[in-house]
Amino acid sequence: MPDSETPQHDNPAPDPAAPEAVPASGPPEPPAQPAADLEDGDAGAPETAQDAPAVERLARLRRLTRSRRLVWGAVALLCVAGGTVGSILGAQTVAHKDANKARQASQQTSADVASTLKLSVQHQEDFAIGATTFFAGNPKASPAEFEAWARYGDGFHRYPELAKLSLVTLVRAAELPAFEAKLTGRPLKLPLPTRRTIKGLRVQSTPSTGSSLRIVPSGKRPVYCFAIAGLPRSSARYTPAGLDLCAVTPGLLSSRDSAQSLYTSASTGHTPALGIARPVYKGGVPPSGFSPRRDAFVGWLREVLLPTVVLRQALQGHPEGAVRLRHRTGSSNVVFNAGTPGPGAQSTKTNLHGGWSARTFGGPVDARVLADWHALVLLIAGILLSVMLAVLMVVLGAGRRPAAAPAVKPREVPHEDLYDPLTGLPNRALMMDRAQRMLARASRESGLLAGALFIDIDWFENVNDKLGNTAGDELLRTVAERLETVIRAHDTVGRLGGDEFVVLVESAARGARLDALARRVIEALHEPVNIAGFGPSIFLTASIGVAFGRYGTPDELLRDARLALEASKAAGKDRYTLFNANMRSVIEGRGVLEVELNAAVQNKQFFLLYEPICELTNRTVVGLEALLRWRHPAQGVLPPENFMALAEETGLSVPLGRWMLEEAATRAAAWNVAGHHVSVSVPVTATQLGRDGFATDVRRALQQSGIEPSLLTLEISESTVLQDVEVVAARLQEVKQLGVRIAIHDFGSGYAQHSDLRRLPLDFLVVDRTSVAATNDEEYRSWMLQTIVVLAKDLSLTVIAKGIGTQEEMITLQMLGFSLAQGPFMGAPVPAEAVVERVFDAGVPGGLIAERGQYTS
């Protein structure tokens, strides 16, 4: 029993030295497990009432742990599901984008191949026109003459697809002995031909005629078709002398009467080829009647082409491309292929002129995810990443107690699709959106007007050309910074692309002063720009178009601002222009003028005037300059400056220039035949000179007119030369080989260098004294003219002065060293019908009469 003096406690403190108390019966109770050990297991329930709070706490911990695991598991599953769905959607987007790129590449390939084929067909047609013109003018040409012409034209070098070129004539049975004699070069020593003898010759040579001509295929026919001259690319392709092409080419005789070219399949060895037989008539043009065609028939120009050569050239740079070239006219239907279209390849059909069509095939296009390795990689990587992220969430969530979720920093939305990466300004898409919002506000508030400043940097392309793109980019960044400093806080400035900027302005209707903002922009850009590493400062100017008012769409607002910008540029640049309704009417009038210009070409409303060019030493006419005029049905006679720029834009300057060449050359040839030895100068536009067929146009004009080539001068503007000196020099060398002469007109208005002039095959420099120096200082103008004379002498060129209006000007130019001149004082431009009477028969320039050194009109 316990000691009665010892105090009693409910929970006495254990004595560490005392032995552990043991109950009288049964094993000892196990010690209580700590909460950490009970968290994940089932502990035995305490048997004392004092442990009830601990039991409740342990149960709550178990419930919280299970809930936390369920939550993290659900988050992990959502992560996997969301990642998988996102990966699939992203992969599909990538696959569609790649398919669109492949589709665009296929379309571009088709366009490139079709353009190359169209140009090749046009080149071949130009060459055939020259050959038929030669044959029409020389129906009895010898093989040597034909070979000389072909070598001169360098057809086999310029046209690698040309395998054989020959002239074919029609020989009747009775003409066989004479044809053989001409072919062999031996005189005809046959008795008067009899029907039997002719029949024998018609089959093949017989002992009775002494003929050595072997006709293939043999047989009796009323007419034969033999090649009288031929030029193959290789000796293995010579046409046998006795091969009857009418017998082996069905439809050849029919083409004589129909005046239609005959297209047939041919072969050169193992290579498929195309044979073209073009009927040729006297004068180069087929008569309209059946009998006149037979009477005027000369023969056929026969070409053998290798279309596969052209097709291979067209497919260069497009390894996955293929093309099928077809010609179908009447009964002709020939097809040539190059390349093999792949499965799923996109195809495009293009109609070329003259019955030709091309079907081009690009690369395959497949929008499936499994067919695009970019999309497949994205799909697999996305799924793996989502699974790894889910595992990481489960591990981290199971090993940590619940804690407050950290604040997630919002992800920054990228702006690459809304802002210009170079300047940081809003791009076109964002500017159009803001313009739409601005116009919507202006429509709701009656006192608010919306406006825009369309800004274009003057001469910006010169900075890129001379200093490079790096300097140009730095310049654009500087412009953007200055624009941001001059606009108001609620205005918006953006870059549309290139060197074009737009400022959107909204202001009260009564206080709209956009002209003041435009002046501030121009003044801000006048400050010099210093670009590190690029030498001296750059001085900027800008042209600005201003439009404001009530508009329905942003396109209408920017359209009017751009029209005002074009008016600023036309007025001399470095200024601003406010839009007015007349500008829109000018654009509409420009469209009407384009329609009238097309009709004028068809209705032959153009004619030429001829201005005399005189020798100053003896006052005689040595040349004429052809000047184009338009006899407009409503506006009267129009000079070239009223329509030639539009003709250049629309491509009509090419047929106009071709007509001018032929008309002027024909007139000059007639005057020279009549005894008036005079040359003619014809202006040539940049579009004409840029065509590959320009040399063919000049050659055709020379052949049809019969003029001596040295009497034809082609005038090229100095601005055309400066566009690309190397290309212009190569093109001028090509036409210079024909024997014509070359002149640069309006010389001194540009900045052609001495080294550039040396590379060009020039004969003349044409100088307009009124525009060579923009000054009223006659001493400075005389110094400039004298400098040009010295430059011309150094280059062995002749200088022609234009715009001579008085006798004093003529005497001054003669003292400066000029030998040729033209202008009102020397003689006004006259029509072709009046040239003989008012120029040649007058005896002196333009009807001027020389008496004792005095000149009166």
Side-chain angles (χ1 to χ4, degrees):
M1 290 185 58
D3 190 354
S4 60
E5 295 181 358
T6 303
Q8 301 295 319
H9 299 281
D10 293 333
N11 295 300
D15 185 2
E20 190 173 1
V22 181
S25 64
E29 294 180 2
Q33 297 180 5
D37 295 335
L38 293 174
E39 184 176 353
D40 297 326
D42 293 332
E47 295 182 357
T48 61
Q50 292 84 354
D51 290 332
V55 172
E56 183 179 355
R57 186 169 58 254
L58 291 176
R60 188 167 58 251
L61 279 175
R62 285 195 293 269
R63 290 194 299 270
L64 184 61
T65 300
R66 292 192 183 100
S67 299
R68 186 174 68 243
R69 288 179 176 176
L70 290 175
V71 170
W72 282 104
V75 171
L77 290 176
L78 289 176
C79 182
V80 173
T84 301
V85 173
S87 300
I88 294 174
L89 295 177
Q92 289 178 345
T93 301
V94 170
H96 283 294
K97 286 185 177 179
D98 288 348
N100 289 333
K101 290 181 180 179
R103 191 174 293 106
Q104 293 174 0
S106 175
Q107 294 173 354
Q108 184 63 42
T109 298
S110 299
D112 293 344
V113 172
S115 177
T116 302
L117 292 178
K118 186 173 183 179
L119 189 61
S120 299
V121 171
Q122 182 62 49
H123 288 177
Q124 188 60 40
E125 291 292 337
D126 291 342
F127 177 73
I129 289 174
T132 55
T133 301
F134 168 80
F135 194 18
N138 303 272
K140 297 182 179 180
S142 65
E145 292 173 340
F146 178 66
E147 181 176 357
W149 176 88
R151 296 297 184 191
Y152 177 77
D154 198 13
F156 287 109
H157 176 70
R158 295 167 54 197
Y159 306 100
E161 70 273 13
L162 183 61
K164 186 187 301 182
L165 186 67
S166 56
L167 307 181
V168 179
T169 188
L170 189 68
V171 180
R172 293 176 175 81
E175 299 170 350
L176 276 176
F179 173 75
E180 181 185 0
K182 180 180 178 181
L183 189 65
T184 59
R186 295 193 297 269
L188 182 62
K189 296 181 180 180
L190 294 175
L192 186 63
T194 64
R195 182 173 181 84
R196 181 177 180 183
T197 303
I198 293 174
K199 288 183 177 180
L201 285 175
R202 287 170 61 187
V203 178
Q204 63 180 44
S205 59
T206 63
S208 61
T209 62
S211 173
S212 60
L213 179 66
R214 179 178 178 82
I215 301 175
V216 179
S218 61
K220 299 178 181 180
R221 293 179 288 276
V223 291
Y224 300 86
C225 301
F226 297 124
I228 59 173
L231 190 64
R233 182 174 292 275
S234 64
S235 58
R237 295 173 180 168
Y238 269 107
T239 302
L243 178 62
D244 183 5
L245 294 172
C246 283
V248 299
T249 309
L252 186 60
L253 278 176
S254 299
S255 67
R256 172 192 60 177
D257 301 331
S258 64
Q260 298 293 327
S261 299
L262 180 65
Y263 293 78
T264 57
S265 299
S267 64
T268 56
H270 298 287
T271 305
L274 173 65
I276 306 177
R278 306 176 189 270
V280 182
Y281 304 87
K282 295 177 182 178
V285 179
S288 58
F290 177 80
S291 297
R293 284 182 184 171
R294 289 198 170 186
D295 295 338
F297 181 69
V298 173
W300 293 274
L301 173 71
R302 185 171 183 268
E303 303 169 88
V304 178
L305 306 178
L306 301 177
T308 54
V309 175
V310 177
L311 298 180
R312 285 196 298 267
Q313 291 178 347
L315 291 177
Q316 284 184 356
H318 307 290
E320 295 183 352
V323 62
R324 180 181 298 123
L325 183 64
R326 180 188 299 272
H327 183 274
R328 177 182 293 172
T329 53
S331 60
S332 172
N333 186 9
V334 290
V335 180
F336 298 92
N337 299 285
T340 302
Q346 298 291 303
S347 66
T348 303
K349 183 178 180 180
T350 305
N351 291 324
L352 313 177
H353 66 277
W356 290 97
S357 64
R359 180 170 293 278
T360 51
F361 301 87
V365 177
D366 195 340
R368 295 178 303 167
V369 173
L370 299 180
D372 189 331
W373 72 272
H374 292 100
L376 190 60
V377 169
L378 177 62
L379 176 63
I380 296 175
I383 294 176
L384 290 178
L385 184 62
S386 61
V387 171
M388 293 174 61
L389 184 60
V391 172
L392 181 62
M393 287 183 176
V394 171
V395 172
L396 293 178
R400 298 180 58 186
R401 292 181 179 270
V408 179
K409 185 178 180 180
R411 183 175 60 90
E412 295 184 359
V413 179
H415 296 295
E416 287 81 0
D417 56 339
L418 297 177
Y419 289 86
D420 176 44
L422 178 63
T423 62
L425 297 178
N427 61 11
R428 176 182 290 273
L430 184 55
M431 289 297 289
M432 297 299 283
D433 179 73
R434 292 186 177 180
Q436 181 65 51
R437 296 173 183 271
M438 179 182 68
L439 294 177
R441 286 193 298 271
S443 65
R444 294 191 301 268
E445 302 178 20
S446 59
L448 190 65
L449 285 181
L453 276 67
F454 207 119
I455 305 168
D456 184 87
I457 308 303
D458 298 331
W459 315 114
F460 177 74
E461 61 274 7
N462 290 346
V463 176
N464 276 337
D465 294 342
K466 296 179 179 179
L467 301 183
N469 293 333
T470 302
D473 293 345
E474 183 64 28
L475 190 64
L476 291 176
R477 282 191 287 266
T478 303
V479 170
E481 293 172 359
R482 293 186 180 181
L483 291 178
E484 288 185 306
T485 60
V486 298
I487 64 173
R488 299 174 300 177
H490 54 277
D491 297 337
T492 303
V493 59
R495 181 187 177 205
L496 297 188
D499 60 336
E500 294 181 343
F501 297 83
V502 166
V503 178
L504 299 178
V505 181
E506 52 184 326
S507 177
R510 294 183 178 180
R513 294 297 305 275
L514 275 69
D515 53 345
L517 177 58
R519 284 195 296 270
R520 292 202 305 270
V521 170
I522 291 178
E523 292 171 0
L525 295 181
H526 278 173
E527 295 294 328
V529 179
N530 296 315
I531 300 178
F534 289 97
S537 301
I538 299 175
F539 293 88
L540 292 179
T541 63
S543 300
I544 304 177
V546 182
F548 64 92
R550 302 201 177 278
Y551 290 90
T553 64
D555 291 332
E556 295 176 355
L557 174 63
L558 295 184
R559 177 201 61 196
D560 289 352
R562 182 181 286 277
L563 290 177
L565 170 66
E566 293 177 356
S568 295
K569 286 184 171 293
K573 303 182 178 180
D574 192 21
R575 65 186 66 207
Y576 69 90
T577 301
L578 299 178
F579 171 79
N580 60 71
N582 292 333
M583 296 178 182
R584 197 175 297 134
S585 63
V586 169
I587 297 300
E588 294 172 354
R590 183 183 178 91
V592 173
L593 180 63
E594 182 176 349
V595 175
E596 293 178 342
L597 192 59
N598 278 279
V601 174
Q602 300 296 329
N603 299 332
K604 300 181 179 179
Q605 297 174 1
F606 295 96
F607 66 98
L608 296 180
L609 297 179
Y610 296 89
E611 183 177 7
I613 303 173
C614 304
E615 175 68 51
L616 291 179
T617 56
N618 53 18
R619 313 297 193 266
T620 58
V621 178
V622 296
L624 297 168
E625 182 182 11
L627 305 175
L628 182 64
R629 296 293 185 269
W630 179 7
R631 189 176 287 106
H632 194 280
Q635 303 180 32
V637 177
L638 300 180
E641 52 266 24
N642 287 14
F643 60 85
M644 206 60 196
L646 182 60
E648 277 281 84
E649 294 179 10
T650 58
L652 291 175
S653 60
V654 173
L656 269 179
R658 186 184 298 120
W659 173 82
M660 286 183 64
L661 274 173
E662 297 174 356
E663 174 69 13
T666 302
R667 292 283 186 178
W671 291 326
N672 280 273
V673 170
H676 307 292
H677 189 74
V678 65
S679 63
V680 64
S681 300
V682 182
V684 174
T685 66
T687 303
Q688 279 183 271
L689 190 63
R691 284 186 66 247
D692 290 339
F694 177 64
T696 303
D697 294 341
V698 177
R699 186 182 295 109
R700 184 189 296 110
L702 294 174
Q703 292 174 347
Q704 291 182 356
S705 64
I707 189 175
E708 181 182 341
S710 61
L711 296 179
L712 177 61
T713 301
L714 306 178
E715 292 188 348
I716 316 297
S717 68
E718 186 176 9
S719 59
T720 299
V721 172
L722 295 178
Q723 289 179 3
D724 194 328
V725 178
E726 293 185 1
V727 174
V728 172
R731 190 56 51 84
L732 291 181
Q733 288 287 357
E734 185 179 6
V735 297
K736 183 68 174 177
Q737 295 176 359
L738 301 177
V740 301
R741 295 190 289 182
I742 309 296
I744 291 184
H745 68 82
D746 292 338
F747 182 76
S749 58
Y751 300 93
Q753 300 180 3
H754 186 275
S755 59
D756 296 336
L757 298 177
R758 283 193 176 277
R759 298 165 60 183
L760 303 174
L762 301 178
D763 299 281
F764 301 101
L765 296 179
V766 183
V767 181
D768 190 340
R769 66 174 306 278
T770 61
S771 61
V772 70
T775 178
N776 294 325
D777 189 349
E778 285 297 331
E779 292 185 1
Y780 178 71
R781 181 180 284 118
S782 298
W783 175 81
M784 286 288 294
L785 293 172
Q786 189 173 9
T787 302
I788 292 175
V789 172
V790 173
L791 173 65
K793 289 182 178 180
D794 180 58
L795 297 173
S796 300
L797 304 178
T798 301
V799 186
I800 303 175
K802 293 184 63 174
I804 310 305
T806 63
Q807 179 181 351
E808 290 76 11
E809 293 175 356
M810 182 189 68
I811 295 174
T812 301
L813 290 173
Q814 192 172 5
M815 294 175 59
L816 291 175
F818 284 80
S819 59
L820 300 176
Q822 63 184 107
F825 183 74
M826 317 304 295
V830 297
E833 297 78 10
V835 167
V836 174
E837 177 185 357
R838 298 178 57 184
V839 177
F840 299 137
D841 293 347
V844 289
L848 296 179
I849 302 175
E851 292 183 358
R852 299 181 181 88
Q854 301 298 320
Y855 301 91
T856 58
S857 57

